[in-house]
Amino acid sequence: MNGAPMDALHTRLLVARFGDAFRFYDALLPALLGATRTRGGVEGPYASWDVDGQGVLALFDRAATAATAAPAGAAGPAGPDDRTMLVSRVPDVDTAYAACLARGAAPAGPPADRPEWGPTLRSAQVRDPEGNLWELQSY
């Protein structure tokens, strides 16, 4: 992995009022946790904060999520009940996606390149047996 920091697992909050959520966390995470904002701004649709090079929280506009993940029990965009997503960086998105499906995960968004998120970013989403979203990423 060329020595780059590895975010094994972090929480992404899917928010309807991005600006409000951004201002809240941007004020509190540095003060309370010593976190540094690493991506994004109040305009959204994405922002993230790290502590010591490890991702601790990301915000993503719920409407923007709708373009990539299906709601629990349905095909199509993320639903209004989706409030969180676990996110993991994996060596190979396609292999990880297939492994999740083989273990009973429901497909929520097939593997796809996402150059609008990063020049080499590839991701896929699955739902665990409880319907929780899990995004698998490589970059």
Side-chain angles (χ1 to χ4, degrees), residues 45-75:
Y46 181 84
S48 63
W49 293 263
D50 290 2
V51 171
D52 296 330
Q54 293 295 306
V56 293
L57 182 69
L59 298 178
F60 198 33
D61 185 273
R62 193 174 307 134
T65 304
T68 62

Side-chain angles (χ1 to χ4, degrees), residues 7-131:
D7 296 330
L9 182 67
H10 69 271
T11 301
R12 178 181 295 163
L13 300 179
L14 308 177
V15 298
R17 296 182 354 240
F18 188 91
D20 293 341
F22 174 86
R23 284 185 285 278
F24 178 83
Y25 286 107
D26 201 48
L28 291 172
L29 291 174
L32 299 178
L33 303 179
T36 302
R37 182 169 19 108
T38 55
R39 291 179 201 90
V42 71
E43 69 283 350
Y46 181 84
S48 63
W49 293 263
D50 290 2
V51 171
D52 296 330
Q54 293 295 306
V56 293
L57 182 69
L59 298 178
F60 198 33
D61 185 273
R62 193 174 307 134
T65 304
T68 62
D81 293 334
D82 287 313
R83 305 263 186 234
T84 61
M85 176 188 294
L86 299 177
V87 180
S88 295
R89 188 171 176 186
V90 297
D92 183 292
V93 168
D94 296 81
T95 300
Y97 182 77
C100 289
L101 297 181
R103 289 287 187 169
D113 294 331
R114 307 237 184 257
E116 66 277 16
W117 296 356
T120 62
L121 198 137
R122 185 168 178 76
S123 72
Q125 298 86 23
V126 297
R127 290 192 180 274
D128 71 13
E130 288 290 317

